């Protein structure tokens, strides 16, 4: 891979060189690789096919999770989210100790490995919100909640320049990775001034299906606003808007066999 440095960047293929644009800039690389039909049929590439199957499964699972939390992700500025989440999902799939390689999946993997995942690599929740909180998932009732004691915003937030207010948000999702469906819900605090006035205690909760047998995910986020002439405007740069998975409950344990 080489970087283009000419005045006019090229796109397309000339001879055996392909010119293209990526997030790293305008690049060039030599064409090559193995014939796709051979990869699909040759026994020598069975491991390649297995890896490709699981990587594709990880990508689909990551997309489904992103879609379930789309409302909170609209103001998150991280262009590498898709790749980062797919990579993490692949680790979940690879933790599947039930199925053989190539057939491992999220359901039989370790969804709990996603706990702590940051949706915004540029604005980590732990580096933005310093107030303590407790997160919990009650699978029996379907209640996913975050409790935050009162705190002083000016001391417990790393807010961007120009921000005058903030809002705390939670979202919960019950995801069926096999059927590619989900049940989700969101809740949020009011917009709160970033000053020395302590907040109220926050108890934010959402509901999904009670006694669900699907993986459950709980996220916590913060969004910043600027007040101009009495109106609040969301800061769209996404640099400080944080969102992270703070609790995950994978598949429930199977009931013990009858005596």
């Amino acid at each position: 891979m080489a970087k283009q440095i000419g005045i006019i960047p090229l796109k397309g293929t000339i001879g055996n060189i392909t010119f293209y644009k990526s997030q790293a800039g305008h690049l060039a690389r030599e064409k090559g690789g193995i014939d796709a039909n051979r990869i699909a049929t040759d026994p020598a590439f069975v491991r390649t096919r297995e890896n490709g199957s699981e990587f594709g499964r990880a990508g689909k699972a990551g997309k489904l999770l992103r879609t379930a939390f789309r409302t909170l992700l609209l103001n998150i500025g991280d262009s590498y989210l898709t790749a980062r989440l797919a990579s993490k999902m692949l680790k979940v799939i690879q933790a599947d100790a039930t199925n053989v390689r190539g057939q491992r999946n999220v359901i039989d993997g370790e969804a709990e490995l996603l706990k702590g995942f940051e949706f915004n690599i540029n604005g980590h929740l732990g580096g933005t919100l310093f107030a303590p909180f407790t997160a919990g998932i009650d699978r029996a009732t379907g209640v996913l909640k975050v409790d935050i004691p009162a705190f002083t915003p000016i001391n417990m937030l790393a807010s961007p320049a120009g921000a005058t207010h903030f809002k705390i948000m939670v979202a919960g999702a019950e995801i069926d990775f096999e059927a590619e469906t989900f049940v989700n819900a969101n809740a949020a605090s009011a917009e709160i001034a970033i000053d020395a006035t302590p907040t109220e205690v926050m108890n934010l909760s959402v509901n999904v299906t009670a006694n669900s047998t699907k993986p459950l995910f709980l996220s916590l986020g913060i969004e910043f606003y600027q007040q101009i002439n009495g109106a609040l405007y969301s800061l769209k740069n996404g640099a400080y808007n944080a969102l992270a998975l703070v609790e995950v409950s994978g598949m429930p344990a199977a009931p013990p066999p009858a005596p």
Side-chain angles (χ1 to χ4, degrees):
M1 182 185 300
K3 191 169 185 178
Q4 299 184 53
I5 59 174
I7 298 175
I8 302 176
L10 302 175
K11 288 185 181 180
T13 301
I14 301 177
N16 289 325
I17 305 298
T18 297
F19 301 89
Y20 63 102
K21 182 180 180 181
S22 75
Q23 293 176 342
H26 293 274
L27 306 176
R29 65 184 175 193
E30 186 177 2
K31 291 178 61 179
I34 301 169
D35 180 71
N37 184 62
R38 182 184 174 194
I39 293 177
T41 59
D42 193 330
F45 290 93
V46 62
R47 292 291 175 261
T48 301
R49 292 194 292 273
E50 291 171 351
N51 293 337
S53 175
E54 293 185 350
F55 187 79
R57 199 170 293 124
K60 290 178 66 176
K63 180 180 180 181
L64 187 61
L65 182 63
R66 296 197 319 273
T67 303
F69 290 106
R70 177 173 170 75
T71 301
L72 272 64
L73 289 174
L74 291 175
N75 291 333
I76 296 294
D78 183 353
S79 57
Y80 293 97
L81 172 59
T82 299
R84 291 193 304 106
L85 185 54
S87 176
K88 195 68 175 180
M89 277 293 187
L90 185 59
K91 295 184 184 299
V92 171
I93 289 172
Q94 291 171 340
D96 177 359
T98 302
N99 300 291
V100 297
R101 282 186 54 165
Q103 298 179 21
R104 294 178 295 187
N105 57 70
V106 176
I107 297 297
D108 296 309
E110 295 291 337
E112 287 82 0
L113 291 173
L114 292 168
K115 181 177 178 179
F117 180 81
E118 297 279 356
F119 288 95
N120 187 0
I121 197 66
N122 303 308
H124 285 197
L125 181 65
T128 304
L129 174 66
F130 298 98
F133 63 86
T134 56
I137 293 176
D138 188 330
R139 183 174 285 276
T141 63
V143 174
L144 294 74
K145 65 176 184 176
V146 174
D147 298 323
I148 307 176
F151 66 92
T152 303
I154 199 169
N155 295 332
M156 303 303 285
L157 296 177
S159 54
T164 60
H165 291 71
F166 72 98
K167 179 170 67 176
I168 300 293
M169 307 170 295
V170 300
E174 167 196 353
I175 300 182
D176 186 334
F177 288 101
E178 293 179 326
E180 299 184 18
T181 60
F182 58 83
V183 176
N184 64 350
N186 304 328
S189 70
E191 291 83 4
I192 303 169
I194 302 174
D195 56 23
T197 303
T199 67
E200 300 289 337
V201 174
M202 298 185 203
N203 304 114
L204 300 173
S205 65
V206 295
N207 290 78
V208 294
T209 307
N211 294 310
S212 172
T213 59
K214 308 303 179 184
L216 305 179
F217 301 86
L218 175 62
S219 67
L220 173 65
I222 183 169
E223 186 171 351
F224 291 98
Y225 298 82
Q226 184 178 58
Q227 187 175 56
I228 301 176
N229 296 329
L232 292 176
Y233 299 88
S234 177
L235 294 180
K236 298 291 187 180
N237 59 19
Y240 284 83
N241 290 339
L243 181 69
L245 291 174
V246 294
E247 195 61 70
V248 177
S249 175
M251 297 296 288

